[in-house]
């Protein structure tokens, strides 16, 4: 009896131990789930902002140009993935720079700290007169192509119609952002939602078509590819245009909890997520179009909508038009910051950094951007402008990432809340050099020469107007500034705050 009672007691103890161990395992699992949910909750704002910032008009314009340069489906999809990797590495470098030097003005303060005023001035000179206005022009031309495509079924819309529509879009966006910051912000929120809807429609449609077995265009996907240093460089230019905005992600630190930990994680998750979206969108296009058909299409997403969503195909050009106009509005909405910094440093006309007395908007800067963008629209087409923009912008992306490497040795005392492995900026700098030199060496065009000459002409402007500060330019600019102040009712920003 005693032995039997002892066995019973041991069995009960073992059952209790098993129950306790199962309970503790369940408790640990619940804790892990809670931690994972909290982790995702903290990262969600950063990831959403990254996806919203990067996805824009580029994905509806660049697929055709990437394919035209590279020639086949397989290399085309590879280029899109490689562009995403490069954008991720570049964004991590800019995250270190942005949290180390917290001044506004984009790449300007980073170049100023590392190399001094001349490269910083050349950046602001190029941004004000080349990269920012040409970006605005490209997006508005994209809008015009998609908005006019449904009215010219089976043929390309006339260039005069596209250019007039693009110019009208620039004028309207410029007026909206000059008149009211709130109106521009409300418009941006609505258009961002439209952008995400059309991206989701195209991706889901493509997945459904793949599930139905529409895979014939992916057979021998590397056949007939034309791979050279020049073609890869130009394909990267067009692919990276769709990722443009990756260099501005360090501005979202204010929106994140524990930003110095969560910003790099948001970038590592967010940009690959965008990359997956872009690859899936391209796969969706190839489920219903051969390479030849895609190259012949004036507006790729419209052709996709006609073949997949008919009779509701009108949804695609409408939402793509909303998406592109949203990107253009966002470009215009953020235009004032760099102009203000350059004007404050005495590197540009002071009037460009002035603020409207009544409406508190940077009206002179926005009107200036709009005017230069219209000038770019007159002679340019989308592909030429993208190559022109990318060539100029990657010179300064490369210089800025090089600044990060230089400051690792010259400015060791600076606090670095985010510190990336040195191999990452080295890779980005080398790729930047290749992207800048490859098209010039392999397929030289006058557009690149004009761009280099224009950038270097900034040296003459710097020496005459900034370094020596001659009196005669000020005598000319003072009456111009005074008359523009009266016409636009603008004053320096410090007077508005007072």
């Amino acid at each position: 009896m005693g032995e039997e009672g002892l066995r019973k007691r041991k069995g009960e103890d073992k059952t209790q131990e098993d129950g306790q161990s199962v309970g503790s395992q369940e408790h640990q699992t619940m804790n892990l789930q809670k931690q994972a949910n909290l982790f995702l909750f903290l990262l969600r704002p950063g990831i959403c902002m990254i996806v919203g910032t990067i996805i824009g008009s580029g994905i509806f314009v660049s697929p055709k140009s990437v394919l035209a340069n590279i020639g086949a489906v397989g290399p085309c999809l590879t280029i899109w993935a490689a562009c995403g990797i490069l954008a991720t590495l570049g964004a991590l470098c800019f995250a270190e720079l942005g949290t180390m030097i917290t001044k506004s003005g984009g790449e300007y303060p980073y170049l100023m700290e590392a190399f001094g005023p001349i490269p910083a001035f050349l950046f602001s000179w190029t941004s004000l007169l080349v990269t920012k206005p040409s970006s605005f022009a490209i997006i508005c031309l994209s809008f015009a192509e998609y908005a006019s495509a449904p009215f010219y079924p089976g043929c390309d819309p006339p260039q005069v119609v596209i250019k007039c529509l693009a110019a009208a879009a620039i004028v309207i966006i410029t007026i909206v952002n000059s008149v009211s910051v709130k109106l521009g912000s409300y418009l941006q929120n609505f258009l961002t939602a439209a952008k995400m809807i059309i991206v989701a429609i195209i991706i889901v449609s493509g997945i459904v078509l793949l599930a139905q077995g529409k895979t014939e265009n992916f057979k021998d996907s590397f056949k007939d590819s034309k791979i050279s240093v020049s073609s890869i460089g130009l394909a990267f230019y067009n692919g990276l245009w769709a990722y443009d905005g990756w260099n501005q992600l360090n501005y979202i630190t204010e929106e994140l909890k524990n930003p110095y930990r969560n910003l790099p994680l948001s970038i590592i998750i967010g940009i690959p997520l965008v990359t997956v979206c872009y690859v899936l969108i391209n796969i969706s296009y190839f489920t219903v179009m051969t390479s030849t058909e895609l190259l012949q299409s004036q507006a790729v997403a419209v052709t996709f909508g006609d073949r997949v969503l008919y009779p509701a195909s009108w949804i695609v050009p409408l939402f793509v038009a909303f998406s592109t106009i949203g990107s253009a509005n966002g470009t215009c909405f953020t235009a004032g910051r760099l102009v203000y910094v350059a004007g404050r440093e005495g590197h540009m006309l002071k009037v460009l950094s002035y603020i409207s007395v009544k409406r508190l908007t940077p009206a002179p800067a926005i009107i200036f951007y709009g005017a230069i963008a219209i000038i770019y629209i007159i002679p340019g087409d989308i592909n030429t402008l993208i190559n022109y923009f990318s060539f100029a912008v990657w010179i300064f992306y490369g210089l800025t990432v090089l600044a990060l490497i230089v400051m690792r040795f010259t400015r060791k005392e600076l606090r670095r809340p985010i510190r990336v492995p040195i191999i990452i900026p080295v890779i980005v700098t080398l790729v930047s050099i290749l992207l800048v030199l490859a098209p010039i060496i392999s397929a030289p065009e006058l557009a690149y020469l004009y761009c280099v000459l224009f950038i270097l002409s900034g040296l003459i402007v710097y020496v005459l107007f900034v370094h020596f500060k001659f009196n005669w330019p000020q005598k000319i600019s003072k009456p111009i500034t005074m008359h523009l102040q009266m016409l636009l009712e603008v004053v320096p920003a410090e007077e508005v705050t007072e």
Side-chain angles (χ1 to χ4, degrees):
M1 246 346 243
E3 284 179 16
E4 199 175 325
L6 194 63
R7 273 196 219 103
K8 267 188 187 177
R9 194 174 294 167
K10 280 183 182 177
E12 285 171 7
D13 289 346
K14 191 178 178 186
T15 307
Q16 282 179 357
E17 282 173 16
D18 289 345
Q20 283 174 357
S21 66
V22 170
S24 66
Q25 282 175 2
E26 287 178 357
H27 185 67
Q28 285 175 356
T29 306
M30 286 176 69
N31 281 340
L32 284 170
Q33 284 177 345
K34 283 179 182 176
Q35 286 173 5
N37 290 336
L38 179 63
F39 177 72
L40 289 171
F41 176 76
L42 292 173
L43 287 180
R44 194 183 300 153
I47 294 168
C48 290
M49 207 165 285
I50 286 168
V51 172
T53 301
I54 294 177
I55 293 178
S57 65
I59 189 57
F60 306 115
V61 177
S62 294
K64 184 176 170 181
S65 303
V66 173
L67 182 63
N69 283 301
I70 214 74
V73 174
C76 177
L77 297 176
T78 306
I79 290 286
W80 280 104
C83 288
I85 293 167
L86 180 59
T88 305
L89 297 179
L92 288 170
C93 294
F94 272 68
E96 176 175 331
L97 284 165
T99 52
M100 179 174 68
I101 300 166
T102 55
K103 297 174 184 174
S104 63
E107 290 88 332
Y108 183 93
Y110 314 147
L111 293 169
M112 180 73 90
E113 289 283 342
F115 304 120
I118 293 176
F121 174 80
L122 290 177
F123 166 74
S124 61
W125 167 261
T126 307
S127 292
L128 290 170
L129 296 172
V130 179
T131 57
K132 299 288 184 184
S134 63
S135 171
F136 196 11
I138 292 163
I139 296 167
C140 287
L141 281 168
S142 308
F143 159 76
E145 280 198 355
Y146 272 94
S148 58
F151 299 98
Y152 295 90
C155 65
D156 295 347
Q159 281 299 307
V160 67
V161 171
I162 291 173
K163 289 180 188 291
C164 287
L165 199 54
I170 289 172
V171 170
I172 291 166
I173 291 167
T174 302
I175 291 169
V176 166
N177 283 279
S178 298
V179 167
S180 170
V181 172
K182 278 188 177 178
L183 186 59
S185 181
Y186 289 146
L187 182 64
Q188 189 62 25
N189 292 339
F190 167 72
L191 295 171
T192 300
K195 170 172 66 180
M196 301 317 293
I197 289 168
I198 189 59
V199 165
I201 288 171
I202 292 172
I203 289 173
V204 170
S205 302
I207 291 169
V208 170
L209 289 166
L210 280 175
Q212 291 173 350
K214 300 274 185 180
T215 57
E216 55 269 15
N217 293 333
F218 299 99
K219 291 172 183 174
D220 297 325
S221 59
F222 284 81
K223 190 181 177 184
D224 299 325
S225 57
K226 42 182 182 182
I227 296 171
S228 66
V229 176
S230 170
S231 65
I232 290 171
L234 291 172
F236 260 91
Y237 276 1
N238 287 278
L240 287 165
W241 162 249
Y243 288 92
D244 195 52
W246 61 262
N247 59 314
Q248 297 169 13
L249 304 180
N250 49 327
Y251 297 142
I252 71 171
T253 48
E254 297 169 4
E255 308 293 329
L256 294 174
K257 292 178 181 177
N258 191 6
Y260 302 139
R261 176 177 171 274
N262 289 336
L263 177 61
L265 288 171
S266 297
I267 289 169
I268 290 166
I269 296 169
I271 301 182
L273 187 62
V274 173
T275 306
V276 170
C277 287
Y278 281 179
V279 171
L280 286 174
I281 288 170
N282 278 275
I283 288 171
S284 299
Y285 292 153
F286 287 120
T287 55
V288 292
M289 283 178 272
T290 63
S291 299
T292 308
E293 288 170 337
L294 194 143
L295 290 173
Q296 288 173 348
S297 170
Q298 176 64 20
V300 180
V302 170
T303 306
F304 178 84
D306 288 341
R307 296 189 179 186
V308 176
L309 301 174
Y310 188 82
S313 56
W314 56 269
I315 290 172
V316 175
L318 178 67
F319 277 83
V320 171
F322 282 155
S323 173
T324 48
I325 209 78
S327 298
N329 185 65
T331 301
C332 191
F333 190 70
T334 56
R337 180 177 289 174
L338 180 63
V339 183
Y340 171 74
V341 174
R344 187 185 63 195
E345 296 287 336
H347 287 183
M348 288 291 153
L349 282 171
K350 281 281 183 186
V351 72
L352 291 178
S353 65
Y354 286 7
I355 303 293
S356 171
V357 177
K358 290 181 178 177
R359 308 191 183 279
L360 302 178
T361 58
I366 292 168
I367 292 167
F368 173 80
Y369 271 126
I372 300 293
I374 288 173
I375 292 168
Y376 276 117
I377 276 173
I378 294 165
D381 62 271
I382 289 177
N383 291 334
T384 307
L385 282 174
I386 286 175
N387 292 344
Y388 179 71
F389 164 86
S390 300
F391 176 76
V393 87
W394 274 96
I395 291 172
F396 289 101
Y397 286 161
L399 266 178
T400 306
V401 177
L402 180 63
L404 171 59
I405 299 169
V406 168
M407 285 190 284
R408 284 283 180 94
F409 301 99
T410 60
R411 301 298 301 275
K412 292 180 181 179
E413 77 282 3
L414 289 174
R415 182 171 169 267
R416 292 172 169 82
I418 295 172
R419 190 183 179 94
V420 297
I422 193 72
I423 190 66
I424 292 177
V426 169
I427 290 168
V428 176
T429 305
L430 291 173
V431 173
S432 302
I433 293 167
L434 286 172
L435 285 173
V436 170
L437 293 181
I440 298 177
I441 294 166
S442 303
E445 288 184 18
L446 281 174
Y448 306 132
L449 177 63
Y450 294 150
C451 192
V452 170
L453 290 174
F454 193 86
I455 292 169
L456 293 177
S457 69
L459 289 171
I460 300 167
V461 176
Y462 179 82
V463 169
L464 292 178
F465 303 140
V466 180
H467 185 70
F468 289 112
K469 293 184 179 176
F470 292 126
N471 288 328
W472 60 267
Q474 291 181 0
K475 287 178 182 176
I476 296 169
S477 66
K478 270 187 180 177
I480 294 171
T481 300
M482 186 181 70
H483 283 95
L484 284 172
Q485 270 193 272
M486 290 189 291
L487 177 66
L488 299 172
E489 297 180 332
V490 292
V491 293
E494 55 269 23
E495 290 184 25
V496 174
T497 53
E498 285 170 12

